[in-house]
Amino acid sequence: MCKHVANAGMGPRLTRTGCVLPPTGWYDTNQFTLEVIFHNRMRQHSCLTADASRAAAVYVPYYAGLDVGRHLWGFSNNVRDALAEDLVDWLRSTPAWAAHGGRDHFLVGGRIAWDFRRQDGGYWGSRLLLLPEARNMTALVLESGPWHVGDIGVPYPTYFHPSHAADVSSWQRTVRRARRPLLFAFVGARRPGEGAGTLRDTVIDQCARSRRCGLLQCGHGRRNDCYAPSNVVRHFKSAVFCLQPPGDSFTRRSAFDAMLAGCVPVFFHPGSAYTQYRWHLPADHTRYSVFVPGDSVRNGTVRAEDVLRRFGQAEVAAMREQVIRMIPGIVYRDPRAPDGGFRDAFDVAVDGMIERVSRIKRGLPPREDNDGQRRWDGYFDSW
């Protein structure tokens, strides 16, 4: 991971972009370096205080994802849990913790929540979020658990880390003007060992059979074009819609790469976006995305292309414009820039955390109930 934590967590600067990307603000960012980016942004925050009694919320700069990532294979569970247990032991001894029992504390886990919720008898990840102390804290993670109020989903890092609002505006103009000869596109790989007939297999096959779909398939002896940021962005810029079936988990970094390119995401499970990122994405998912029930695609009763062709030009233009307007709030600004002049994903997350802690201190539930979210429960029950 050493090269990936360079440049304040943004990774190596992109210099060969094939004229696809601007010369500045773009990095080969690893999807698991959010903790480093977030910490370096926090160092620049204008409202820091060393007096925890005055703090609206207490940030714990523990690199939970980098820690667990070192021990995913070939280590005992005692090793996987050691640093997390040391952390909560130390936190419990501090005056800041004693004030509210840690309920005003939060940390950032740059992986999905499941990597920190190893059940008894399991051999993947740590037990961090199952520790009693951690249950009092809030965890900002790349994908939250649908039934865990202590997890909050925040966007995956993309390749774009603008320093100024002008950089964002310039990129928005670029993707607005982009020619999109393809109706839809997919970037990704099949999942080895899962066998045929998975949703992702079906989506890939539907794309491959259509002359209106652009397929950038990875792995299995193919060139690693899908790991070159300029190739990924070029591909997404050429399509109106971008297919986002679940991968190893419900969410995908690809969804944010696609939106960054002005491509309207197509989701097949609500856990990919609609039950996540509540601070960062519009509550009305129809404004910026298309939902196609994955079971209908998998059993062959629905083709994604047929659904997408039903949208009129005005509907498509409105969704794409909404996606482009969302770009500032889903990217993470360059942590080394003192003031970018726009609210990025970090700003949205910190404001959301402060509001969440304020509710907790007032004896209210951490978040307002949203009855609309309950309509998705059946999708998780059957998954």
Side-chain angles (χ1 to χ4, degrees):
M1 291 297 292
C2 292
K3 72 173 184 178
H4 299 298
V5 299
N7 291 313
M10 297 181 295
R13 188 169 68 87
L14 292 175
T15 55
R16 299 178 180 178
T17 63
C19 299
V20 176
L21 307 176
T24 59
W26 293 81
Y27 296 80
D28 190 3
T29 304
N30 185 279
Q31 65 178 346
F32 296 134
T33 58
L34 177 59
E35 299 149 351
V36 184
I37 296 171
F38 201 98
H39 187 195
N40 282 292
R41 281 298 313 278
M42 188 64 79
R43 292 175 187 271
Q44 300 286 342
H45 201 284
S46 60
C47 297
L48 293 180
T49 175
D51 183 354
S53 67
R54 299 177 56 205
V58 180
Y59 167 59
V60 180
Y62 166 48
Y63 294 174
L66 293 182
D67 177 25
V68 76
R70 299 180 301 161
H71 304 129
L72 290 175
W73 298 275
F75 292 88
S76 69
N77 286 343
N78 287 337
V79 172
R80 295 185 176 108
D81 296 336
L83 195 55
E85 291 175 349
D86 285 349
L87 170 74
V88 298
D89 285 347
W90 178 81
L91 285 171
R92 200 170 51 237
S93 70
T94 63
W97 183 272
H100 298 281
R103 291 174 180 82
D104 57 346
H105 286 49
F106 74 100
L107 56 81
V108 178
R111 300 182 72 96
I112 66 173
W114 311 111
D115 291 342
F116 309 111
R117 291 186 177 278
R118 191 190 71 247
Q119 301 295 323
D120 292 341
Y123 295 96
W124 179 266
S126 75
R127 296 188 67 253
L128 169 65
L129 297 185
L130 298 180
L131 298 175
E133 295 83 359
R135 292 180 180 180
N136 283 0
M137 292 191 285
T138 299
L140 305 184
V141 290
L142 298 180
E143 175 181 325
S144 64
W147 304 283
H148 306 130
V149 296
D151 307 343
I152 303 292
V154 294
Y156 283 79
T158 66
Y159 305 116
F160 187 32
H161 302 280
S163 296
H164 307 287
D167 301 332
V168 181
S169 298
S170 176
W171 178 248
Q172 288 173 307
R173 288 193 296 272
T174 296
V175 294
R176 253 187 212 106
R177 294 194 300 258
R179 289 186 61 255
R180 300 182 185 271
L182 298 172
L183 176 65
F184 59 122
F186 175 79
V187 174
R190 297 180 188 270
R191 286 295 178 262
E194 292 183 357
T198 65
L199 172 58
R200 179 174 283 219
D201 280 340
T202 306
V203 167
I204 290 175
D205 291 341
Q206 287 190 6
C207 179
R209 288 193 294 264
S210 172
R211 289 182 297 178
R212 305 189 68 184
C213 186
L215 177 61
L216 186 58
Q217 196 170 347
C218 319
H220 300 285
R222 297 179 177 85
R223 294 170 55 205
N224 289 330
D225 286 349
C226 59
Y227 298 107
S230 59
N231 289 336
V232 172
V233 175
R234 179 192 294 112
H235 199 69
F236 286 147
K237 278 177 63 182
S238 68
V240 176
F241 298 100
C242 291
L243 308 179
Q244 302 297 337
D248 295 326
S249 64
F250 293 126
T251 61
R252 299 182 74 209
R253 169 192 169 144
S254 173
F256 293 97
D257 290 335
M259 290 187 283
L260 177 63
C263 192
V264 177
V266 180
F267 297 113
F268 300 84
H269 191 282
S272 297
Y274 308 149
T275 61
Q276 307 282 344
Y277 319 119
R278 300 182 188 183
W279 293 342
H280 294 81
L281 300 181
D284 182 359
H285 66 86
T286 63
R287 292 172 54 198
Y288 72 94
S289 71
V290 175
F291 179 65
V292 181
D295 286 345
S296 299
V297 174
R298 187 162 37 207
N299 65 25
T301 59
V302 170
R303 289 198 320 151
E305 180 174 356
D306 293 339
V307 175
L308 301 178
R309 291 178 66 177
R310 295 190 192 112
F311 288 95
Q313 289 186 355
E315 293 175 287
V316 171
M319 284 190 286
R320 182 166 60 244
E321 181 60 25
Q322 177 61 40
V323 167
I324 293 172
R325 289 179 180 178
M326 287 160 48
I327 289 175
I330 62 173
V331 299
Y332 294 92
R333 178 163 59 80
D334 187 334
R336 300 163 303 184
D339 183 8
F342 68 98
R343 281 169 47 80
D344 71 339
F346 169 87
D347 294 317
V348 174
V350 170
D351 289 350
M353 235 356 277
I354 290 173
E355 172 61 24
R356 177 182 172 88
V357 171
S358 174
R359 290 180 60 86
I360 292 172
K361 288 180 177 179
R362 300 198 311 268
L364 299 173
R367 65 187 183 207
E368 294 182 5
D369 290 333
N370 185 348
D371 293 337
Q373 292 289 330
R374 309 305 303 179
R375 70 185 185 277
W376 304 118
D377 286 357
Y379 286 89
F380 293 94
D381 295 340
S382 63
W383 185 259

